[in-house]
Amino acid sequence: MNKKYLAYSLSLLALASCGKKEDEQKKNAAPPPTPVTLVAAHTTEAVYYDEYPATVVALNTVELRSQATGFVTGVYFKEGDVVPKGKLLYEIDQRQYQAAYQQALADLRSVQANAANAEVNAGRYQRLAQQDAVARQLVDNANTAAATARAQVAAAQASVNIARNNLGFSRVTAPFTGRIGISEVRLGSQVGAGTTLLNTISSEDPMGVDIVVTQTDIERFIALQNAKTSRADSTLRLVLPGGVTYPQPGRIRTIDRGVNSQTGTITVRVEFANPKRELKDGMSAVVKVLNTQSGQRLVVPFKAIVEQMGENFVYVATDSSTAQQRKVTLGPRLKDQIVLMNGVKDGDKVVTEGVQKLRDGGKITTEVPKAPPAAPGK
């Protein structure tokens, strides 16, 4: 009985020993190659833009305010129309200004008549003095009266000019050709000189588009401002609300005089032709500026990028069918592709599928693993 028990125990120990060896062999065995998909990195023409939020602004905008006080007696335009320079827009009650002008003219004529008479008297006394027929004091008095009359004429002429200007201020005209807005006053409205806003008029062709850039970009935009542009130039493009690209090219018109010390930014104004009046003052848009690094660049599929601890990597297949991890610097994304500035050469095969299971130096295969055979009866 003891012999049987001993033999049984020895057999159990042998089986356990074999099991441990099999486990150790499985543990030490290399993991199977990871199935992956490889795509060759290639060089292509990469054209990409930097985008800046923008606001469309009229290059010339004026608030129309009356310089005369009174009631509106005439409105001579259609709201929203383009009005030519010099067109009569509003008329303020002219009666008091017309009367003041006529009064100033009458005063001028009166002092002119007095001045003419004083000049005649001064001349007469001057001739008599030459004959010693009159006292010198009378000659001096006559000359003084003539000079006073001339001064009164000048003052009266100034009053006429003021009255004429006031009369002219009662007629508000367009200072330049532009589109006029909705009127702030109606017929019969009372307006005050210099205080009441009548309307706003703004130019429409060309239009400005303002963007804000960092101070590190100043030299770049100065170079763009000095560069010669053509109608077909694509360096500056405008994207309208809704994603439609505006067909007209832009050019740098103005770079602001100084940098905002709080934000470290500066305003740049881009000019666009607006022949069809599509651009409106205050419209939001996006200005696309051609990136200086556009050109022949190396690209790979974006899904090949692996981010770890704020750094970017790709896995590149080697001749020994292993995946080597390489650190890369990313350029701009072009739809489903991305530009690599370094880390990969043209023709290198990068892993695009299976990157989540890879490690540096891991084995890879491009073969699709076979499905296990179906169990009998299923």
Side-chain angles (χ1 to χ4, degrees), residues 341-356:
M341 307 307 294
N342 54 41
V344 176
K345 301 189 300 294
D346 192 5
D348 284 348
K349 294 183 178 180
V350 299
V351 178
T352 58
E353 300 285 350
V355 293
Q356 297 82 3

Side-chain angles (χ1 to χ4, degrees), residues 118-136:
E119 291 290 347
V120 170
N121 290 336
R124 181 182 302 114
Y125 281 110
Q126 188 67 36
R127 290 191 297 272
L128 291 174
Q130 292 173 357
Q131 300 172 6
D132 292 328
V134 67
R136 186 65 193 176

Side-chain angles (χ1 to χ4, degrees), residues 93-107 163 167:
D93 189 357
Q94 294 184 320
R95 289 174 295 181
Q96 60 175 329
Y97 299 106
Q98 185 70 40
Y101 177 59
Q102 296 297 332
Q103 179 65 53
L105 285 177
D107 292 343
L167 179 59

Side-chain angles (χ1 to χ4, degrees), residues 229-251:
T229 59
S230 64
R231 293 180 63 86
D233 186 35
S234 60
T235 304
L236 296 162
R237 287 296 186 184
L238 183 65
V239 179
L240 301 178
V244 178
T245 299
Y246 188 63
Q248 299 289 340
R251 69 176 185 88

Side-chain angles (χ1 to χ4, degrees), residues 93-305:
D93 189 357
Q94 294 184 320
R95 289 174 295 181
Q96 60 175 329
Y97 299 106
Q98 185 70 40
Y101 177 59
Q102 296 297 332
Q103 179 65 53
L105 285 177
D107 292 343
L108 175 61
R109 296 189 186 99
S110 175
V111 296
Q112 284 175 335
N114 291 335
N117 184 56
E119 291 290 347
V120 170
N121 290 336
R124 181 182 302 114
Y125 281 110
Q126 188 67 36
R127 290 191 297 272
L128 291 174
Q130 292 173 357
Q131 300 172 6
D132 292 328
V134 67
R136 186 65 193 176
Q137 183 178 0
L138 293 178
V139 176
D140 293 340
N141 290 342
N143 290 335
T144 301
T148 302
R150 289 194 294 270
Q152 292 173 342
V153 170
Q157 184 63 60
S159 297
V160 169
N161 294 339
I162 292 173
R164 183 188 299 114
N165 289 338
N166 289 336
L167 179 59
F169 291 153
S170 66
R171 295 166 56 88
V172 180
T173 59
F176 54 82
T177 299
R179 189 173 298 276
I180 194 165
I182 297 174
S183 181
E184 300 290 339
V185 298
R186 302 297 173 188
L187 281 174
S189 298
Q190 186 174 16
V191 298
T195 59
T196 305
L197 175 63
L198 305 178
N199 211 319
T200 302
I201 184 172
S202 58
S203 60
E204 286 196 316
D205 188 20
M207 292 289 282
V209 178
D210 286 353
I211 61 176
V212 177
V213 304
T214 61
Q215 56 188 348
T216 56
D217 281 337
I218 293 177
E219 291 186 6
R220 175 188 180 189
F221 282 89
I222 290 176
L224 289 174
Q225 185 180 29
N226 296 332
K228 294 182 179 180
T229 59
S230 64
R231 293 180 63 86
D233 186 35
S234 60
T235 304
L236 296 162
R237 287 296 186 184
L238 183 65
V239 179
L240 301 178
V244 178
T245 299
Y246 188 63
Q248 299 289 340
R251 69 176 185 88
I252 303 295
R253 178 186 177 94
T254 306
I255 298 176
D256 204 358
R257 62 165 191 83
V259 175
N260 186 316
S261 59
Q262 295 182 346
T263 62
T265 59
I266 191 169
T267 300
V268 176
R269 178 162 292 177
V270 186
E271 181 181 304
F272 289 88
N274 191 28
K276 296 183 179 179
R277 305 302 193 271
E278 297 175 73
L279 303 182
K280 300 295 183 182
D281 187 25
M283 179 185 290
S284 297
V286 174
V287 171
K288 298 174 65 176
V289 184
L290 185 66
N291 193 288
T292 55
Q293 294 180 339
S294 293
Q296 293 292 319
R297 297 294 174 186
L298 192 71
V299 298
V300 298
F302 180 74
K303 58 185 178 181
I305 305 301

